[in-house]
Amino acid sequence: MKLLAAYLSPHPPVVLPPIGGGRERECQRTLDGIQRMSRAIEELAPDNIIVITPHGPLYRDAITIVNEGELEGNFGQFGNPELSFRYENNLAFTGQLQENAERAKIPTILFHSGMGFGRRYELDHGVMVPLGFLNWKNRAPKLIPINYGLLTREELFDFGRVLLETMEGFQESFVVIASGDLSHALKDSGPYAFREEGPLFDQKVVEAVESGDFQELMELPEALVEGAQQCGYNSLLILAGLLSSFEYDSELISYEGPFGVGYGVGEFRIKGRAPEEIEEGQEELDPYVDLAVRSIENYAKTRTMLPLPEDLPLELMQNRAGVFVSIHSHGQLRGCIGTISPTKENVAMEIIHNAVSASAYDPRFYAVSPEELEELEVSVDVLGEAEPASFADLDPKRYGVIVTKGRRRGLLLPELEGVDTAQKQVEIALEKAGIHPEESYELERFEVIRHI
């Protein structure tokens, strides 16, 4: 899993020029903000987009997970049926999400056509407006619409954590959009008469997005939330739960309330996992790294392969992928062996075997001895699928590269110290493969999820 970023987005149909007919210029900041968000998402090119909306099938006692395979919708309700959208859902993900939520005792409903409304499910404007400026150069990502329920704050927050848990079981990338307008009571000319709670609620949201601190938002008085006449608070509670396990850069891209409704666009760029509180003298390892370390230690001491442990997370047991295990000692490489594509029945077995290979059979180094074990630093890279690429498509900070000429093949992982250009990255990969730079060769790129 790789959560790339999360966003807060409003959903006024008027911001879309085919519907606004010129009125979109009255909310220019919001138009610019959503367009900027769209460009950022296009650049991230996620495999999946999850949109949390207030305006789909809404249940008081459950969160709605849309389980329709083909997703379609248009703006006929707003006078423009020609403006339409079509996406494919990720049914493997929605099914697993429902199972995980059920295990966490959070009520959910897997919703499909015919349920409750007696007609085909259609995308609502809370989903479609945030997608309205996206242009996919290649294939579009899968879309996973989720309608929040009228549950407690704690349940919505916990659902965000379940959402993350479910992502961790998939070797795919995700972007999450919390769709919701802020107060509808900013002006007497708005949808509701002015209420003093409106501007105060919006101020609290703006401060939370600017600081990235959702704690105060979680503790807002109920009277303030209700009095603001808003539809975005529950989406933000789910987002707060999702982001609670990460360190991230938070930015308020735009805020305004031109029609008496608060529109906020916010971005949360993931930097990495938040440090856990660890008891003094103890160190908690990532489960991928922990498995690699246990495999290295077992082989160094017994010269036998580690039996498959019974206490592994499901994601290690259910997924298959190529894996590289890297070992360093005192800052110097001590071994690195991996597989470009899966060769074992699951990621766990891939790690166990490649950890042994890196520690004992890397031809550049002698085998790791038991005396060295305490000095080792181990990382595990889980590889995404390789795709054809040109030099213009490369980014050594984000993508690894594979060069191939007949049976000769070289690979270089991303984010390596001293490799800061695509040219240098490819040169090293060619050297590893024994391919002369003047020869013709195939070039591919891939992403990794790095566990350290």
Side-chain angles (χ1 to χ4, degrees):
M1 180 281 301
K2 191 171 186 180
L3 177 62
L4 304 174
Y7 295 87
L8 167 66
S9 175
H11 48 245
V14 69
V15 79
L16 300 170
I19 294 175
R23 291 198 69 202
E24 68 275 7
R25 290 190 290 272
E26 297 177 43
C27 54
Q28 189 66 46
R29 291 182 185 175
T30 302
L31 174 60
D32 293 342
I34 294 178
Q35 288 178 327
R36 178 178 157 186
M37 175 187 76
S38 300
R39 290 192 296 271
I41 295 175
E42 289 168 5
E43 182 179 333
L44 292 171
D47 298 313
N48 301 272
I49 293 182
I50 298 173
V51 181
I52 304 162
T53 174
H55 296 304
L58 178 65
Y59 290 84
R60 179 167 295 277
D61 58 352
I63 292 170
T64 306
I65 302 169
V66 176
N67 202 43
E68 192 80 10
E70 297 296 327
L71 302 168
E72 298 180 3
N74 63 66
F75 282 93
Q77 179 184 357
F78 299 92
N80 196 320
E82 291 78 23
L83 184 55
S84 61
F85 296 83
R86 187 171 187 173
Y87 280 85
E88 180 184 349
N89 201 343
N90 188 335
L91 298 185
F93 183 90
T94 58
Q96 189 62 54
L97 177 60
Q98 198 273 339
E99 287 184 25
N100 292 346
E102 187 176 72
R103 191 181 308 114
K105 296 182 168 45
I106 300 172
T108 58
I109 291 175
L110 279 177
F111 189 92
H112 54 81
S113 287
M115 289 181 62
F117 300 100
R119 59 179 174 81
R120 178 172 174 78
Y121 168 81
E122 294 182 353
L123 295 171
D124 64 88
H125 72 278
V127 175
M128 292 188 291
V129 171
L131 305 179
F133 294 96
L134 290 168
N135 294 299
W136 305 110
K137 296 178 181 178
N138 298 311
R139 62 178 180 84
K142 292 183 178 179
L143 173 64
I144 304 163
I146 296 172
N147 205 111
Y148 65 63
L150 304 182
L151 305 183
T152 68
R153 299 182 188 193
E154 292 74 18
E155 287 173 317
L156 293 166
F157 182 90
D158 288 345
F159 181 76
R161 295 183 68 88
V162 170
L163 198 56
L164 176 61
E165 175 194 351
T166 307
M167 292 181 198
E168 290 175 336
F170 288 77
Q171 295 299 326
E172 302 173 18
S173 58
F174 294 82
V175 161
V176 176
I177 300 175
S179 175
D181 294 336
L182 304 184
S183 175
H184 292 58
L186 299 180
K187 299 178 180 179
D188 283 333
S189 59
Y192 298 90
F194 172 81
R195 299 187 64 162
E196 62 182 10
E197 295 94 340
L200 181 56
F201 173 84
D202 282 15
Q203 178 185 345
K204 296 296 185 183
V205 172
V206 164
E207 290 173 354
V209 174
E210 286 179 327
S211 67
D213 184 357
F214 286 95
Q215 186 59 42
E216 186 177 354
L217 208 59
M218 291 283 297
E219 299 171 355
L220 291 182
E222 191 66 35
L224 175 60
V225 176
E226 291 296 324
Q229 302 290 335
Q230 48 70 44
C231 66
Y233 185 61
N234 284 7
S235 293
L236 281 167
L237 294 178
I238 294 174
L239 192 65
L242 174 74
L243 294 173
S244 63
S245 296
F246 292 100
E247 291 183 333
Y248 50 87
D249 290 323
S250 179
E251 180 184 357
L252 179 72
I253 296 176
S254 66
Y255 171 79
E256 62 180 343
F259 308 120
V261 181
Y263 302 143
V265 183
E267 180 180 53
F268 309 89
R269 282 283 186 135
I270 304 301
K271 296 168 60 179
R273 286 285 190 170
E276 301 288 341
E277 293 185 6
I278 302 172
E279 294 183 14
E280 187 175 353
Q282 293 184 344
E283 184 176 359
E284 184 176 336
L285 290 179
D286 176 289
Y288 291 74
V289 176
D290 181 54
L291 181 59
V293 168
R294 289 157 70 181
S295 180
I296 293 167
E297 290 180 347
N298 183 79
Y299 196 82
K301 294 175 180 178
T302 69
R303 309 304 290 180
T304 62
M305 200 71 67
L306 178 74
L308 186 64
E310 297 180 357
D311 58 344
L312 299 177
L314 287 177
E315 60 192 275
L316 284 164
M317 300 297 294
Q318 294 179 344
N319 297 323
R320 301 183 73 231
V323 168
F324 270 73
V325 176
S326 301
I327 306 170
H328 287 77
S329 178
H330 302 291
Q332 300 298 314
L333 184 65
R334 186 66 180 80
C336 180
I337 295 288
T339 44
I340 295 175
S341 55
T343 62
K344 307 299 178 186
E345 56 266 38
N346 53 42
V347 169
M349 292 302 297
E350 207 82 35
I351 292 173
I352 289 172
H353 282 263
N354 290 350
V356 168
S357 296
S359 66
Y361 297 103
D362 187 328
R364 297 169 294 179
F365 306 96
Y366 55 85
V368 168
S369 66
E371 293 73 27
E372 294 180 87
L373 293 174
E374 292 186 2
E375 304 171 356
L376 303 182
E377 296 176 356
V378 179
S379 63
V380 177
D381 288 296
V382 180
L383 277 59
E385 290 188 15
E387 58 183 6
S390 65
F391 263 90
D393 300 322
L394 301 183
D395 178 352
K397 297 296 183 184
R398 177 178 178 183
Y399 298 106
V401 297
I402 302 171
V403 293
T404 306
K405 173 72 173 181
R407 299 180 63 179
R408 290 174 289 167
R409 203 173 199 192
L411 175 147
L412 201 67
L413 296 170
E415 293 187 274
L416 295 181
E417 184 177 355
V419 183
D420 51 8
T421 67
Q423 182 70 35
K424 188 169 186 179
Q425 188 182 38
V426 172
E427 286 177 356
I428 296 172
L430 289 171
E431 183 179 352
K432 293 175 68 175
I435 301 173
H436 193 277
E438 298 300 322
E439 294 184 73
S440 61
Y441 56 87
E442 296 178 8
L443 179 62
E444 296 173 288
R445 71 177 188 181
F446 62 91
E447 290 188 281
V448 306
I449 300 175
R450 177 160 294 165
H451 299 265
I452 57 177

